[in-house]
Amino acid sequence: MLAKHKVFALGLQHVMAMYAGAIAVPLIIGNALHLTPEQLAYLIAADMFTCGLATLLQVLSTRYFGSGLPVVLGCTFTAVGPIIAIASTSNLPTAYGAIIISGLFVVLAAPLYGKLLRFFPKIVTGSVVTIIGLSLIPVAMNNVAGGQGSADFGALHNLLLALVTLVVILLVNRFATGFLRSISVLIGLAVGTVLAYMMGMVHFGAVGEASWLRVAQPFYFGTPQFSWVAIATMIIVNIVSMVESTGVYIAVGKATEQKVEQRRIVSGLRSEGLAIMLGGIFNAFPYTAFSQNVGLISLTRVKTRNVIFAAGGIMVVLGLLPKLAALTTVIPSAVLGGAMIVMFGSVAASGMSILAEVNLRNDRNLMIVACSIAVGVGSAVLPAIFGQMPSFLQPLLQNGIVTGSVTAVVLNLLLSDKRTMETENEDGSVSGLGMDAGESATVTVGAKQ
């Protein structure tokens, strides 16, 4: 049993790992919609508050809600473009009305989605988890360089900060033991930030301007309004998030050596749907499972849910105390990028570990993995190739996890016959998936089938 101060430190490490991604969404949307500084401050505080509630809902395990997995929820980047488009053509209350209804859709559609999990054998799940990790690498490298669009992008001092942060994390992992090793990322972020401060790159102006207390209030931007077009758009966004979250659940199952069953995935998605509805009510955002934190679990080997409970509680407090939330924003992008390299790489390595249990000497399996990863990573790295497609399809096609997942599922079906629509045994032979009409699908992670 971990001591309380250790649980808090490990929870804080999870918050630091996802914080940049969490506040990036309100910053992008707020600036695009020309919100006032006061409105933008509310948006960030409400986002952190709701992130915390969403995470707590996910970690709890009841009969119908919560996967019970150590999963952290954050706002999905898939929703950024659609929310800006809806708010620009109509208004923010219409966007939030669509978010609320789309969350209800996720709650109701989760059981039906669960029945489709039979199309996710190891060759598909391994490819999806690998794609998640690889598609995040460009995000890490952009941060290493100082952040996309920054004036000092690629400057030597940014590369130095990222390198020092990464080296510290690796050294702590190599030579430290016990609790110190488990907070290696937090130590790396602290050392990198101190070095950045000595270089004159850390500024506390935003901390001084932030208020001490701000309570999230329902419908801050006005009473929700409803548009069928907006609702349909946000439903598509959340279908994308359901696929992303499935991959994250499976990756967490691999990292924690747990079976991720259909029931857990359905309960987790129901919880996400409820979190999305809360996002609409508090004028925050749609939420999805954050893959950043999967790599952290793999790296620290701390698998207890208490740590994620602590992370959720910390985010709720940060949402209520903007000054504390602002304090975490002083970490330079390059420092975060150095930590992201090892975390995102760990996610990709988890996917490769799943694929290691698949016979890739089989040409069929090799083609499925090769094409799905190539399509998925290609879509994530160069989304502009789908710029001429209809606007309602672009959120789907420009998401590498979705295109890679669909490619893997379709190829697994097309290249399979009665003999090959199967999974491997330990001796390299094949046997049926073992999911008859009356059985529930189970993704067995980390064990030979």
Side-chain angles (χ1 to χ4, degrees):
M1 190 73 174
L2 289 170
K4 290 182 179 179
H5 71 280
K6 292 183 178 180
V7 171
F8 175 82
L10 289 165
L12 179 62
Q13 183 173 241
H14 272 280
V15 174
M16 302 299 280
M18 59 80 68
Y19 194 82
I23 67 169
V25 171
L27 286 173
I28 293 169
I29 292 177
N31 289 324
L33 298 179
H34 306 292
L35 299 183
T36 66
E38 181 182 358
Q39 291 173 324
L40 187 56
Y42 171 82
L43 207 59
I44 295 173
D47 175 44
M48 290 310 301
F49 177 75
T50 316
C51 272
L53 292 182
T55 298
L56 294 174
L57 284 171
Q58 185 61 255
V59 180
L60 289 171
S61 183
T62 65
R63 183 175 180 181
Y64 296 108
F65 291 92
S67 65
L69 292 166
V71 173
V72 174
L73 266 67
C75 37
T76 173
F77 280 85
T78 311
V80 171
I83 289 176
I84 292 173
I86 294 168
S88 299
T89 56
S90 51
N91 51 40
L92 267 174
T94 301
Y96 287 119
I99 290 172
I100 292 171
I101 300 302
S102 67
L104 179 61
F105 168 84
V106 173
V107 172
L108 298 176
L112 175 61
Y113 176 85
K115 295 184 183 299
L116 302 178
L117 292 176
R118 65 183 62 212
F119 300 112
F120 284 79
K122 278 188 178 179
I123 192 168
V124 174
T125 58
S127 299
V128 171
V129 175
T130 303
I131 291 167
I132 291 174
L134 294 179
S135 62
L136 287 170
I137 299 299
V139 177
M141 299 311 290
N142 271 319
N143 278 278
V144 165
Q148 188 68 47
S150 63
D152 60 349
F153 188 85
L156 181 60
H157 57 262
N158 287 327
L159 303 183
L160 176 63
L161 281 175
L163 177 62
V164 169
T165 303
L166 176 60
V167 169
V168 169
I169 293 172
L170 294 177
L171 289 175
V172 173
N173 263 277
R174 174 64 181 84
F175 296 106
T177 58
F179 176 66
L180 279 180
R181 180 177 181 180
S182 64
I183 60 168
S184 59
V185 172
L186 190 59
I187 293 173
L189 291 173
V191 172
T193 303
V194 170
L195 177 60
Y197 177 77
M198 295 169 62
M199 297 168 65
M201 297 175 61
V202 175
H203 307 285
F204 294 94
V207 179
E209 295 173 3
S211 60
W212 277 106
L213 180 65
R214 186 66 178 268
V215 179
Q217 64 186 75
F219 312 129
Y220 174 84
F221 288 102
T223 304
Q225 299 176 19
F226 303 98
S227 160
W228 287 112
V229 174
I231 290 170
T233 301
M234 293 311 302
I235 285 175
I236 292 174
V237 167
N238 287 318
I239 290 173
V240 173
S241 295
M242 292 169 78
V243 177
E244 288 180 320
S245 293
T246 301
V248 173
Y249 295 155
I250 293 166
V252 169
K254 175 68 178 176
T256 59
E257 299 176 347
Q258 297 184 63
K259 290 183 178 179
V260 182
E261 302 171 340
Q262 176 182 323
R263 180 194 62 79
R264 298 186 82 166
I265 292 178
V266 170
S267 296
L269 292 176
R270 281 200 192 102
S271 190
E272 286 191 21
L274 188 57
I276 292 167
M277 294 176 70
L278 285 175
I281 292 170
F282 285 107
N283 289 170
F285 306 97
Y287 292 95
T288 188
F290 254 35
S291 49
Q292 287 93 321
N293 299 84
V294 182
L296 195 54
I297 293 172
S298 301
L299 189 66
T300 63
R301 303 176 188 174
V302 176
K303 306 167 185 177
T304 175
R305 290 189 300 166
N306 290 342
V307 170
I308 308 302
F309 271 118
I314 291 169
M315 285 187 279
V316 169
V317 171
L318 289 176
L320 297 174
L321 302 175
K323 194 172 287 290
L324 288 181
L327 187 61
T328 62
T329 66
V330 303
I331 303 174
S333 295
V335 174
L336 288 170
M340 287 176 178
I341 288 176
V342 66
M343 290 190 297
F344 295 168
S346 296
V347 177
S350 294
M352 295 174 190
S353 178
I354 298 173
L355 289 175
E357 300 171 22
V358 177
N359 181 13
L360 294 181
R361 290 172 295 179
N362 180 301
D363 289 342
R364 164 193 168 270
N365 291 342
L366 185 61
M367 288 297 101
I368 293 172
V369 173
C371 293
S372 59
I373 291 179
V375 170
V377 175
S379 301
V381 173
L382 195 62
I385 64 173
F386 298 111
Q388 301 300 316
M389 299 297 289
S391 58
F392 71 93
L393 285 177
Q394 289 183 24
L396 294 172
L397 296 175
Q398 293 178 344
N399 187 296
I401 299 170
V402 174
T403 56
S405 300
V406 171
T407 301
V409 170
V410 171
L411 288 181
N412 187 55
L413 291 172
L414 292 179
L415 299 182
S416 301
D417 52 28
K418 186 176 181 180
R419 181 182 65 83
T420 59
M421 177 69 171
E422 299 160 336
T423 56
E424 294 180 285
N425 286 324
E426 293 187 21
D427 60 1
S429 61
V430 287
S431 59
L433 285 172
M435 290 182 286
D436 297 326
E439 296 180 323
S440 64
T442 300
V443 182
T444 306
V445 181
K448 293 286 186 181
Q449 295 183 338

